[in-house]
Amino acid sequence: MKADCEVLIIGSGAAGLITAIELAQKGIKVIVVTKDAITESSSSYAQGGVAVPLALGDSIEQHICDTLRVGQSECNEAAVRFYISSIEKYVRVLHKWGIPFNGLQKDGIDERELGNEAAHSQRRILKIGSDIAGRVLMKHLWEIACRNPNLSISQGTNLVNLIKDRSKKCAGGVFQDINNSLFPIIANCTVLATGGASSLYAKSTTPFVITGDGIACAYRIGANVKDLDYIQFHPTALDHPTSFLLSETLRGEGAILLNNLNERFMERYAPLEKELAPRAVVSKAVWQEIKKTGKVFIDVRQLGKEYLLNKFQGIYNHCLELGFNLADQLVPVTPAAHYTIGGITVDLESKTSIPGLWAVGEVANTGLHGADRLASNSLLECIVSAFSAAESISNSEALKTEPNLSELSKKIVAFQGNLSIVEFKS
């Protein structure tokens, strides 16, 4: 059965689109499918930026040490070294694509533009358009992707199952469109970029479509997975039905946390780092103080309205729309599920244990994060894993090998009117 494309990419966040663009620019035919609109991904909600050791007093080794410390001795050190030593090179590739990194210069960085976040020993957060880094990054990636004739995008296309051919190689997937019709897309190579599973939780900072589909489908066809119980909670989501994220950079710039008794409590949990302790520490402290006193608030008033509008315009204005004035009042916060650290096990080329299947971004367990992710290492992981996958795919024999499939026959088992199992047999 003839393939529909050379490479099928499932997911349209930063990792998926960077992989797609890099491959398409090499003349490879790519189809990107996405569960919702192309604009709806966790990447679009990223606020901080990309952690990159660019400052004069910073180094790759310091960034590695910070990552290993926060990861609580559970990181894969080889992966940490690979990812952190690779990020500057790939950020400069993206800069050539037109991504507007703040302060990035040909031979260095305007250090005044670098942000500070919890558990980083240096200011190393490379911003992309103030506090709405994800939205700015994705807007540029969407535009680049839509201009490439080798790249097609299918929206409203929901992954149901992955397909393996007779040689046990991944050969694409089975999808459901907005009319509930099922159809296969056959590919020489398949990339999962479907994000994590945080929206399975009652409080989550991620869009509702982030429900672990890619991890589940990969597991069903035999891919190795790891640490699925490692979910990072962000300590300062707005205590509101939206669970809107209040960026860690606010605390990096001096915001403090107060309990319902107006006490600054973080020094009891992390005497040295206080509000800038690792996320797991701050989240646990916030949760305990909510149980003890009823509420926890973030206090940003000392930064002033002018500073907030200059540095955090997106967050400030969105909070105003929801009825909270960061410049004048204490704002209630709560921990919320934020990032899936576990996922599909991959190597440094983003290859899974299934031939013909790669995984990039949050859906993958790269070994970078260990037991707790260092802030802004997520976009770092997206970028490096995407470029690594693209290089691996472009040099792989799988790219040149048509799937070993005869005509597909479908067996659909329905349960109470809902699709429960789809099996494709050659």
Side-chain angles (χ1 to χ4, degrees):
M1 188 171 186
K2 188 172 176 58
D4 298 297
C5 60
E6 291 175 281
V7 180
L8 170 65
I9 296 177
I10 307 169
S12 62
L17 285 189
I18 291 170
T19 308
I21 292 165
E22 179 72 357
L23 289 169
Q25 288 179 346
K26 296 179 180 183
I28 296 167
K29 297 296 183 183
V30 178
I31 294 176
V32 174
V33 299
T34 184
K35 188 176 185 179
D36 203 294
I38 192 174
T39 53
E40 192 71 355
S41 68
S42 291
S43 300
S44 298
Y45 291 76
Q47 292 178 348
V50 187
V52 193
L54 292 169
L56 188 61
D58 201 1
S59 68
I60 288 172
E61 283 302 318
Q62 287 186 69
H63 192 173
I64 289 170
C65 286
D66 291 345
T67 300
L68 293 173
R69 175 172 53 85
V70 170
Q72 302 172 33
S73 302
E74 294 198 34
C75 301
N76 179 330
E77 187 170 344
V80 174
R81 291 189 172 277
F82 171 74
Y83 274 81
I84 292 174
S85 63
S86 301
I87 185 58
E88 181 179 353
K89 171 177 66 175
Y90 292 131
V91 157
R92 294 197 178 277
V93 172
L94 292 176
H95 197 227
K96 289 180 181 177
W97 287 7
I99 307 301
F101 293 103
N102 298 1
L104 189 63
Q105 301 160 355
K106 184 176 181 181
D107 298 317
I109 182 72
D110 180 350
E111 294 188 20
R112 295 170 297 181
E113 296 288 348
L114 292 173
N116 185 36
E117 290 186 340
H120 285 274
S121 59
Q122 300 285 339
R123 299 184 76 91
R124 63 167 69 102
I125 311 306
L126 184 60
K127 301 296 191 71
I128 316 167
S130 187
D131 61 332
I132 50 173
R135 184 63 62 177
V136 176
L137 170 63
M138 294 310 298
K139 180 178 182 294
H140 283 79
L141 292 178
W142 300 327
E143 291 173 354
I144 296 167
C146 290
R147 290 197 300 264
N148 195 302
N150 293 318
L151 202 164
S152 301
I153 299 170
S154 178
Q155 303 181 83
T157 306
N158 188 35
L159 175 65
V160 175
N161 253 344
L162 293 169
I163 299 169
K164 285 201 294 187
D165 70 5
R166 288 172 175 165
S167 67
K168 305 302 180 183
K169 171 190 168 187
C170 185
V174 182
F175 299 88
Q176 187 176 40
D177 65 19
I178 58 174
N179 297 314
N180 295 325
S181 299
L182 294 170
F183 60 95
I185 299 177
I186 308 303
N188 295 355
C189 300
T190 303
V191 181
L192 283 170
T194 51
S198 293
S199 283
L200 297 176
Y201 288 77
K203 292 183 181 294
S204 169
T205 64
T206 58
F208 75 93
V209 293
I210 306 302
T211 51
D213 307 27
I215 298 171
C217 288
Y219 179 76
R220 281 203 297 267
I221 67 164
N224 293 335
V225 298
K226 186 180 179 184
D227 295 337
L228 298 187
D229 56 331
Y230 283 14
I231 302 289
Q232 183 184 68
F233 280 70
H234 199 288
T236 54
L238 191 64
D239 191 4
H240 180 269
T242 62
S243 295
F244 177 66
L245 182 66
L246 297 179
S247 173
E248 193 155 297
T249 314
L250 286 167
R251 286 177 281 127
E253 297 301 318
I256 61 173
L257 296 171
L258 302 171
N259 64 21
N260 213 19
L261 303 177
N262 205 39
E263 298 170 335
R264 186 179 180 184
F265 56 85
M266 275 309 303
E267 59 190 13
R268 296 201 295 268
Y269 299 89
L272 297 178
E273 295 171 301
K274 300 182 177 69
E275 281 82 2
L276 296 183
R279 285 181 178 174
V281 175
V282 182
S283 292
K284 184 176 180 180
V286 169
W287 180 245
Q288 289 183 346
E289 291 296 319
I290 288 172
K291 288 196 294 183
K292 287 178 185 176
T293 71
K295 280 187 177 293
V296 163
F297 303 89
I298 190 166
D299 186 359
V300 191
R301 295 173 296 180
Q302 65 272 30
L303 298 181
K305 181 177 179 180
E306 184 178 348
Y307 187 87
L308 289 168
L309 284 172
N310 181 43
K311 291 284 188 179
F312 301 101
Q313 184 177 11
I315 293 172
Y316 179 82
N317 287 334
H318 191 69
C319 284
L320 273 182
E321 291 172 6
L322 297 175
F324 302 96
N325 190 330
L326 286 171
D328 293 337
Q329 68 183 103
L330 297 176
V331 176
V333 294
T334 184
H338 182 60
Y339 193 87
T340 305
I341 293 174
I344 305 162
T345 307
V346 296
D347 63 14
L348 298 184
E349 295 182 10
S350 300
K351 290 192 292 189
T352 73
S353 58
I354 302 294
L357 180 65
W358 285 255
V360 294
E362 192 177 352
V363 74
N365 183 295
T366 63
L368 173 63
H369 306 308
D372 191 20
R373 175 173 67 82
L374 183 65
S376 288
N377 268 0
S378 52
L379 280 180
L380 180 159
E381 181 182 52
C382 277
I383 292 166
V384 176
S385 66
F387 280 107
S388 298
E391 182 177 356
S392 175
I393 291 166
S394 61
N395 294 323
S396 72
E397 285 300 316
L399 183 64
K400 307 166 191 173
T401 308
E402 288 272 335
N404 184 12
L405 291 167
S406 59
E407 185 177 353
L408 291 175
S409 61
K410 294 184 291 186
K411 179 184 177 184
I412 302 172
V413 179
F415 178 69
Q416 293 184 344
N418 296 318
L419 181 70
S420 61
I421 300 172
V422 178
E423 295 177 355
F424 279 74
K425 299 178 180 178
S426 58

